[in-house]
Amino acid sequence: MIILGVETSCDETSVALLDDDRGLLAHLVHSQIAIHAPFGGVVPELASRDHIRKLLPLVRQALEQSSLRSSDIDGVAYTAGPGLIGALLVGATVATGLAAAWRRPAIPVHHMEAHLLAPLLETPRPGFPFLALLVSGGHTLLVAVGGVGDYRVLGQTLDDAAGEAFDKTAKMLGLPYPGGPQLARLAGTGRPDRFRFPRPMLNRAGLDFSFSGLKTAVVLEARQLAAARPLEESVRADLASSFQEAVVDILVARCLRALEQTSLTRLVVAGGVGANQRLRQRLRDELTARGREVYYPRHEFCTDNAAMVAVAGRRRFPSRDATRSYAITARARWDLEELAPA
Ligand code: KG4
Ligand code: ZN
């Protein structure tokens, strides 16, 4: 079976062709960074308009690259939410239109489920059940995953998402959009122990997260330092590194506690912040020391991409007797726990 995956939930237009036997036949990602950079963040209307421009050409390119014809496609999976509603509507409309024209099922996919299932693109694949840490620009979740559609949210952020904290702190340190990866790069040259920033909630029971206090602490420290004299590059690097260390400490501590409480032995890390090298290294060290396993999708499957949408769509492929619907599904908000088991 070959699935066409379509992702347009935020600022990446992505298309993938996934074959059961041969794996990924094509995977194209067009980033809108250049469009949004002058504004310091994603402008929803500009995102929608660029998805419109790029999506069909990318589909065509993917088919050409893999020497497939539209008649080879068995189903079209698309991100139906959560995300920016206008951006989602572009992907949903195009994907549903193609599916209807090709007389194949259109498969709406939950964006976070797709992130959760991204590690299934890799070998070795994590077996179910596992604990998932979903850390992206919009979400920070710890989920007990029993199988596809069997999700129990154990903890989540009470304020900013981890990626959002990275992005806001980066902006405050004068780094260009998108800040997360830039901050991580700067942190690599700094000292993680120069500033001791708070680790909010860590001394509390439960598995929830909070990052806004940490972000504020960095802002206050930076302002105080800058009042004396302009921040040198090395000081900014130390601020970035100490901030990153605090985020990583929080995420690692929560993962360890969740593994202990659930007796799960495997951890899957997904979402854009999962690309963070320091987080990967610390989790690997801590879990290996405890005889537990950690799985990461490769970098391009961590950030938004259509390969993960195709994987999730494959797992959600409708049964032969299901009534086919070409209703366009797009939801800005959509709770992961609402999903039914596949
Ligand atoms: O999953 P994703 O591509 O988009 C969604 O939010 O759904 O995640 C993007 C987030 C952004 O906040 C970005 O700054 C962050 O992931 N990010 C990183 C790194 N790479 C991306 N944060 C920290 N370190 C990184 N290396
Ligand atoms: Zn995402």
Side-chain angles (χ1 to χ4, degrees):
M1 195 176 273
I2 298 177
I3 303 288
L4 168 66
V6 170
E7 158 66 35
T8 65
S9 67
C10 189
D11 59 346
E12 257 103 29
T13 319
S14 181
V15 165
L17 286 164
L18 181 69
D19 182 337
D20 283 353
D21 301 323
R22 292 177 290 164
L24 263 189
L25 303 179
H27 188 211
L28 303 168
V29 183
H30 168 75
S31 162
Q32 301 181 348
I33 285 177
I35 293 174
H36 303 295
F39 303 94
V42 177
V43 182
E45 180 63 21
L46 297 182
S48 312
R49 285 167 187 256
D50 199 56
H51 288 309
I52 292 175
R53 272 191 293 272
K54 296 294 169 11
L55 186 49
L56 271 178
L58 282 184
V59 171
R60 211 168 283 135
Q61 195 184 331
L63 288 171
E64 265 164 30
Q65 236 180 44
S66 49
S67 307
L68 292 179
R69 283 182 305 198
S70 55
S71 54
D72 297 321
I73 310 295
D74 295 286
V76 185
Y78 64 94
T79 301
L84 301 172
I85 193 65
L88 289 168
L89 274 167
V90 177
T93 310
V94 170
T96 308
L98 289 174
W102 297 343
R103 299 189 174 81
R104 296 287 189 268
I107 313 159
V109 165
H110 190 292
H111 183 78
M112 301 314 284
E113 173 167 76
H115 272 303
L116 271 181
L117 300 180
L120 303 184
L121 286 159
E122 305 287 15
T123 36
R125 284 182 193 178
F128 296 113
F130 56 75
L131 175 74
L133 173 69
L134 279 181
V135 270
S136 70
H139 297 264
T140 301
L141 293 173
L142 269 172
V143 189
V145 180
V148 178
D150 175 3
Y151 308 129
R152 195 158 49 90
V153 175
L154 306 172
Q156 54 193 310
T157 182
L158 304 178
D159 40 60
D160 292 346
E164 193 180 358
F166 263 94
D167 295 337
K168 286 179 176 171
T169 307
K171 198 170 186 174
M172 197 267 313
L173 289 175
L175 296 169
Y177 164 88
Q182 300 264 358
L183 189 144
R185 210 166 299 132
L186 182 62
T189 65
R191 280 173 40 198
D193 56 353
R194 164 94 180 266
F195 302 100
R196 179 71 195 171
F197 292 128
R199 274 80 173 142
M201 311 271 298
L202 265 206
N203 50 7
R204 281 207 223 154
L207 292 166
D208 286 332
F209 303 86
S210 164
F211 295 103
S212 82
L214 167 60
K215 176 195 63 195
T216 310
V218 182
V219 175
L220 291 177
E221 184 72 47
R223 255 192 222 148
Q224 215 165 12
L225 291 166
R229 59 188 147 117
L231 289 185
E232 286 168 31
E233 182 71 6
S234 71
V235 178
R236 286 168 67 240
D238 291 343
L239 284 166
S241 186
S242 302
F243 162 80
Q244 176 177 264
E245 202 62 13
V247 175
V248 169
D249 274 350
I250 295 168
L251 294 174
V252 169
R254 281 306 191 233
C255 286
L256 292 178
R257 181 180 283 176
L259 286 168
E260 214 155 274
Q261 287 185 0
T262 55
S263 304
L264 291 168
T265 58
R266 285 177 287 261
L267 173 71
V268 161
V269 183
V273 183
N276 186 276
Q277 290 303 326
R278 182 71 183 146
L279 176 65
R280 287 179 175 232
Q281 181 204 329
R282 285 279 310 281
L283 280 174
R284 184 163 289 134
D285 292 349
E286 301 278 353
L287 267 76
T288 312
R290 289 166 176 79
R292 305 245 162 89
E293 293 166 86
V294 59
Y295 294 82
Y296 303 105
R298 76 192 76 155
H299 188 282
E300 73 243 50
F301 299 151
C302 270
T303 49
D304 287 348
N305 69 87
M308 67 182 192
V309 177
V311 169
R314 179 66 186 89
R315 298 293 178 125
R316 295 265 174 205
F317 198 86
S319 62
R320 205 180 278 270
D321 51 350
T323 329
R324 197 167 289 175
S325 159
Y326 292 117
I328 290 162
T329 310
R331 293 179 61 176
R333 289 174 174 275
W334 189 0
D335 195 344
L336 192 60
E337 283 177 324
E338 283 177 39
L339 295 179

